[in-house]
Amino acid sequence: MHRGEDGTTILVEDAGPGVPHDLREVIFEPFRHGGDGLGIGLSLVARFATLHGGWARVGDREGGGASFEVFLPDGSFVGEVVPDGVELAAS
């Protein structure tokens, strides 16, 4: 985890086979995955990051494996229109 001037970056890396280039564009979509599992976890990570004005991305780990990076900006941000009838908690 790294705290910068405008937010926090979380980095998670592994030494596995990495994420194939053809899956990197879709791996954050619900029910898309490159192996075992349902393919919902990374989509939730990306969705929550986006809702808070941030982002999630995947790349190569130096020396082999995958590198997942999530950025969350400082401050309050709502990334999309809140549906009618839904109230946000005051911060």
Side-chain angles (χ1 to χ4, degrees), residues 4-6 14 18 20-21 24 30 32 44 48 50 54-56 81 89:
E5 286 184 27
D6 55 348
D14 67 32
H21 287 277
R24 291 183 185 185
R32 301 291 296 264
L44 289 174
F48 288 132
T50 301
W55 45 261
V81 176

Side-chain angles (χ1 to χ4, degrees), residues 46-90:
R47 180 85 167 132
F48 288 132
T50 301
L51 285 171
H52 291 280
W55 45 261
R57 64 184 174 198
V58 61
D60 293 322
R61 176 182 164 261
E62 191 174 324
S67 176
F68 293 90
E69 193 174 8
V70 178
F71 174 75
L72 299 170
D74 286 339
S76 61
F77 180 89
V78 177
E80 54 186 48
V81 176
V82 178
D84 288 338
V86 175
E87 294 183 28
L88 297 176

